[in-house]
Amino acid sequence: MEETKSQYLKVIESSRKVFKDKNLDYGSSWRILRVSSFVDQIHIKAQRIRNLQINEDQKIDEGQVPEFIGIINYCIMSLIQIQIGVVDEPDLNGTEVFELYDNKVNETFELMLKKNHDYGEAWRDMEISSLTDLIIQKIFRMKSINSNDGKTISSEGIESNFQDILNYSVFALILSKTY
């Protein structure tokens, strides 16, 4: 479990650096996106990963790693939006953004530790392609929840799905040994 903690935090460190660089370029422009827009952005990235895993030919010279990092960051942004709501104009400075970012990472990391304990690190025996499929399945679940005005009868809500997708993406990067 200590190895998982260390590897997880290393992946998050890489993802946070990408987020920081993009935040310097774009600020908090993502704050105007609704949750459904984040779901769609994650869907695009996950579908590209799946296509890269299936197709031998690749037209864009970027592999799966930047896409998984993008998914991680979109999940964190989504979790922030769920907490503080959507705005009409960017409204967060760097300090505020990273405080929220780190808070969502910590919450999701704690959830991972609990689930990892109960599941016995079963993800380590999975294929990256299976994690990709699970991410896409979660996306379709979230689309269904969104079409039901965010209501569920017996299932986890949107927030839990974003946390699971974030964790699956981290696991995929750990398994790829390219972080």
Side-chain angles (χ1 to χ4, degrees):
M1 184 73 107
E2 289 304 313
E3 181 182 26
T4 297
K5 288 180 187 178
S6 171
Q7 291 172 320
Y8 188 103
L9 294 174
K10 192 169 183 180
V11 168
I12 291 298
E13 182 182 323
S14 297
S15 300
R16 192 178 192 279
K17 182 184 181 333
V18 170
F19 183 84
K20 181 179 179 183
D21 291 346
K22 290 195 181 246
N23 191 65
L24 290 171
D25 288 344
Y26 306 130
S28 63
S29 59
W30 55 270
R31 289 280 293 124
I32 63 108
L33 295 175
R34 293 170 281 190
V35 171
S36 60
S37 298
F38 283 111
V39 172
D40 287 340
Q41 288 300 308
I42 293 167
H43 187 199
I44 290 166
K45 291 196 167 296
Q47 195 59 53
R48 179 161 190 273
I49 292 166
R50 185 176 168 128
N51 288 340
L52 290 173
Q53 292 168 345
I54 294 170
N55 298 328
E56 292 180 24
D57 190 29
Q58 180 178 326
K59 302 287 185 190
I60 299 172
D61 192 26
E62 280 188 352
Q64 297 177 48
V65 172
E67 301 296 354
F68 278 118
I69 288 172
I71 290 172
I72 290 167
N73 285 329
Y74 276 131
C75 285
I76 295 166
M77 289 182 270
S78 303
L79 293 167
I80 292 170
Q81 292 294 70
I82 291 168
Q83 178 184 335
I84 65 175
V86 178
V87 295
D88 292 329
E89 294 182 20
D91 64 341
L92 297 176
N93 66 41
T95 304
E96 294 168 320
V97 166
F98 288 103
E99 187 175 303
L100 290 163
Y101 185 100
D102 293 341
N103 183 318
K104 292 304 169 190
V105 165
N106 291 336
E107 288 174 11
T108 305
F109 179 71
E110 289 301 319
L111 175 67
M112 180 279 298
L113 292 176
K114 290 174 186 174
K115 285 187 173 186
N116 208 32
H117 174 270
D118 289 354
Y119 286 95
E121 297 203 316
W123 62 271
R124 288 199 178 270
D125 296 324
M126 295 177 68
E127 298 293 327
I128 296 171
S129 59
S130 296
L131 291 166
T132 303
D133 291 348
L134 288 171
I135 289 168
I136 293 170
Q137 177 193 39
K138 293 274 183 181
I139 290 164
F140 285 114
R141 287 179 178 182
M142 289 191 294
K143 286 178 178 274
S144 180
I145 293 168
N146 279 338
S147 69
N148 292 328
D149 296 322
K151 296 179 178 81
T152 59
I153 296 169
S154 66
S155 305
E156 297 175 320
I158 294 283
E159 187 174 6
S160 296
N161 283 282
F162 280 124
Q163 288 179 307
D164 286 345
I165 290 171
L166 192 164
N167 284 332
Y168 295 160
S169 297
V170 171
F171 294 158
L173 289 173
I174 291 171
L175 291 173
S176 74
K177 298 180 174 129
T178 57
Y179 62 94

